[in-house]
Each structure stands twice: as structure tokens, then as C-alpha cells.
Amino acid sequence: MANKNQTLGEFIIENQNSFKYSSGELSRLINSIRLAAKVVNHEVNKAGLVDIIGAAGETNIQGEDQQKLDVYANEKFIKTLKNRNIVCGIASEEEDDFITINSQDKNNQNKYVVLIDPLDGSSNIDVNVSVGTIFSIYRRITPIGTPVELKDFLQEGSKQVAAGYVVYGTSTMLVYTTGDGVNGFTLNPAIGTFYLSHPNMQFPENGKIYSVNEGNYIHFPTGIKKYIKYCQEEDGDRPYTSRYIGSLVSDFHRNMIKGGIYLYPKSSKNSNGKLRLLYECNPIAFLAEQANGKASDGYTRILDIKPTELHQRVPFICGSKNMVEKCEAFMSDFLEN
Ligand code: AHG
Ligand code: MN
Ligand code: MN
């Protein structure tokens, strides 16, 4: 049983045996992510001190400016996973294509692929606002010992074996699930150890926070506009309060603890919204469901969407169950756009 003095290392070992495919491989993988998270955390925390903030002068495949810390976090996570020879493939929001690991080595028995958003909320880096890392883990579907293929990465979110995030906030936390609830660990920076601080995290079924970039309101579909107006109406526990950080990880983390809904809808400018299905929506949706919350694109469960490309985007509505269902009801009432 989880106890609050437990370190993440102890928790991983203790829970390894209850995992049905237990070979220690997933535990080692989560341990590697823990290590990379500590390294990135160290760098994020001194971002104001050294010349590492600011654009790196490169643009990623999504056409966005890469910040230096994006590049750094991307390198650190990939290097850690590669060096420890723990996965057979990696896909990253910051890489054009997936990375094959040890494809020539017939003895490479690794069966997991990892997908990461190495630094989420990157526009917040140089203004000292919380950012995060998101990860998603699948079992490969192609045979062990052969090079990974695109289809290993394009699996429905419901096939994830683990997912989680690191939030580099007022304290640094690692929150993850292996499909048996969600647990949160807080880093004690003095000794570099994560401790179980938030066992069995649960979304309140109802919440009073809505998180959306309302600057895009004019471009939203009618159902979303109506739902936002509903959030603002005076009735019962409404109007809700509005909170939007602009780091999915941080907005989600707050809403999971306090109760709330996060929306990144499609708009007349972006027909699929902005967030990436594989690196952001699927892992966050898996965590949401494991914490008794819900995630949808307005009509369909996120975890049921069959991905067609690595950098695919989808509209994303996620949070307290009753709030997401209410929003979906508005979406189906105003199907016209
Ligand atoms: P990333 O930094 O990985 O590109 O992700 C940023 C995402 C997400 O974290 C955040 O909620 C959203 O983009 C903010 O977008 P807007 O600035 O359009 O509101
Ligand atoms: Mn992101
Ligand atoms: Mn990112």
C-alpha cells in the first residue's frame, strides 16, 4: 500500500509485481524518466540565471520557434533513454520523425516505445511561469528484435501502458499512471528525491474552474461559445472562475486537484485545434480517466481516436467528468459548426 513517506524509487519497485507484464522493464523505463526529469528540472530552475532562455534560432516541424530549453529537454530525455538502452523507439514533439534504437541489434529485446513532449508550455519559460514534460508509453506491436515502425507509435491512446508528466512549478512533481490510478511525487530538491505526496489522485466530479484561451473566442465553434457563456452565467455554483496558464500540464494539474475543465477547441483558424494527439492529449487523457475525469474532442473519447500521423492535432476537452459531459452536450446541440 502507498504510504506518504515512500520515495518514487521504492514505489516503483513495490508496484512492479502488481503490473501484469512485470519484467522490470517498465520500472526501469520510469526510473530513467525520473532521472531525466531531475536533470531537466535542474536546468529549468536556473533558466533565469544563465544564457539558456530565448529562442534557439530553429523552428520545429510544427512551424513554431524552439526555445533553448525545448532543445535541451528534448536532448536530455532522448539521451537518457538511449544510453540506458531501455526502449526500442522514441517519438518527440521536437523531432520530425521517430527515432529507432539499436535497430541492428538482434539482441535488442526492448518492447516499449516512448512518446514525449519534452517541454510543454514553452512560451512560459522566459517569464518564470510553470512548464512541464509529458510522456506516453506503449508496448510495440511489431516483433521484438526488429526495427520499430510508424505503426508502433500510431496506436490508440487506450493502448498506453503508462503515461505521466513532470510539472516544474513552485515545486517539481512527477505524476504518472500505469493504469492503476494516478500518483503524484514531489521532488525534495535538497536531496534530489521524489516522495509520494499525492497518492491516488482523483478529479472532483464537478468543478468551478474553466481554462481556455478566450482570446480565440470569436473563432470557436458555436457549441464551445455557448458552453463558455454557460460557465459565466449566474446560476447555482456559477459563474465559474477562469484560470488559464498556457501550459497544459500546469492547467491540467491544477484542475485535477481542484476540479475544472480545460478546453483547446478547434477554431476557424485551426480546424483541429492546437494540441498534439500523441504527445499531449493521449497521455493527459489517460491520466484524466485514471483519476475519474474525462477527455474528449467534443464528440469522441480521446483514447479511442485512431492516430494517422505522428504530429496530428485534435480538439481537446478534458477535466471533471460532469463538466466535460456538459460541454459535450453543448457540442452536440450545436452541430452546425
Ligand atoms: P508546447 O509548449 O509543447 O508547444 O505546448 C503549448 C501548448 C499547451 O501547453 C498550452 O496549453 C497551449 O499550447 C497554449 O496555447 P495558446 O498559447 O494558443 O493558448
Ligand atoms: Mn506541449
Ligand atoms: Mn513542447
Side-chain angles (χ1 to χ4, degrees):
M1 241 343 259
N3 82 67
K4 275 206 164 191
N5 295 320
Q6 229 174 9
T7 67
L8 174 55
E10 288 164 351
F11 182 91
I12 291 171
I13 293 167
E14 194 165 294
N15 286 276
Q16 181 179 312
N17 296 335
S18 59
F19 187 65
K20 62 181 171 184
Y21 298 97
S22 172
S23 65
E25 195 178 330
L26 184 66
S27 302
R28 291 204 309 280
L29 174 47
I30 291 170
N31 260 320
S32 304
I33 289 172
R34 172 184 70 156
L35 177 66
K38 283 199 258 190
V39 175
V40 172
N41 172 64
H42 183 70
E43 213 56 34
V44 168
N45 278 331
K46 62 179 189 189
L49 291 173
V50 290
D51 182 29
I52 198 162
I53 54 169
E58 285 171 29
T59 302
N60 67 12
I61 192 173
Q62 335 256 350
E64 298 154 339
D65 282 346
Q66 281 185 326
Q67 301 284 316
K68 282 184 187 173
L69 264 177
D70 286 28
V71 180
Y72 180 86
N74 189 43
E75 279 172 6
K76 280 296 165 205
F77 274 92
I78 290 174
K79 217 180 230 169
T80 307
L81 296 171
K82 262 187 176 170
N83 285 351
R84 301 184 123 211
N85 190 20
I86 206 86
V87 291
C88 49
I90 305 169
S92 163
E93 181 194 273
E94 300 296 337
E95 301 284 332
D96 297 357
D97 210 347
F98 64 85
I99 297 166
T100 308
I101 294 172
N102 283 348
S103 60
Q104 309 308 325
D105 181 0
K106 293 264 182 304
N107 296 322
N108 180 0
Q109 293 299 301
N110 294 337
K111 58 178 174 291
Y112 293 112
V113 295
V114 175
L115 296 92
I116 47 169
D117 176 356
L119 208 88
D120 173 65
S122 40
S123 67
N124 285 321
I125 294 165
D126 46 4
V127 288
N128 209 352
V129 174
S130 301
V131 293
T133 295
I134 310 174
F135 61 92
S136 166
I137 301 172
Y138 293 83
R139 197 170 301 105
R140 65 182 301 173
I141 51 179
T142 53
I144 289 173
T146 63
V148 280
E149 294 175 36
L150 184 58
K151 62 183 173 199
D152 291 314
F153 298 92
L154 298 186
Q155 302 188 51
E156 290 98 324
S158 57
K159 304 270 168 57
Q160 287 171 103
V161 292
Y165 59 82
V166 186
V167 55
Y168 311 100
T170 43
S171 55
T172 293
M173 282 189 70
L174 194 154
V175 175
Y176 80 102
T177 182
T178 51
D180 185 24
V182 176
N183 291 287
F185 300 81
T186 303
L187 181 67
N188 178 344
I191 50 175
T193 303
F194 282 102
Y195 286 94
L196 180 60
S197 52
H198 295 63
N200 192 22
M201 296 177 83
Q202 296 275 320
F203 261 100
E205 287 208 338
N206 293 296
K208 291 187 193 163
I209 298 172
Y210 72 103
S211 313
V212 61
N213 186 341
E214 262 180 276
N216 296 326
Y217 183 88
I218 195 74
H219 301 293
F220 287 155
T222 310
I224 295 290
K225 284 181 176 160
K226 298 274 183 195
Y227 178 69
I228 291 174
K229 286 295 162 216
Y230 166 87
C231 294
Q232 296 169 342
E233 264 166 30
E234 179 118 52
D235 190 12
D237 60 353
R238 287 174 287 139
Y240 298 150
T241 197
S242 163
R243 290 283 182 276
Y244 188 73
I245 296 170
S247 300
L248 170 64
V249 165
S250 318
D251 281 309
F252 175 82
H253 184 73
R254 181 205 53 239
N255 289 353
M256 177 160 61
I257 291 171
K258 295 193 168 178
I261 184 169
Y262 175 96
L263 307 110
Y264 211 108
K266 70 169 189 175
S267 71
S268 46
K269 285 191 300 188
N270 299 315
S271 57
N272 292 313
K274 174 184 180 189
L275 300 182
R276 299 83 172 170
L277 175 60
L278 299 183
Y279 314 110
E280 294 169 319
C281 304
N282 272 337
I284 295 294
F286 187 25
L287 288 157
E289 289 196 5
Q290 284 294 316
N292 199 31
K294 212 173 162 175
S296 108
D297 68 356
Y299 310 102
T300 309
R301 179 185 180 224
I302 291 292
L303 298 181
D304 285 340
I305 298 173
K306 174 82 191 121
T308 52
E309 49 184 298
L310 276 182
H311 297 283
Q312 185 173 344
R313 297 173 193 258
V314 282
F316 192 55
I317 299 165
C318 176
S320 291
K321 203 182 253 170
N322 293 342
M323 297 179 91
V324 173
E325 282 171 4
K326 187 76 191 171
C327 183
E328 286 178 320
F330 276 101
M331 292 299 283
S332 49
D333 282 352
F334 295 93
L335 269 179
E336 82 277 18
N337 71 42

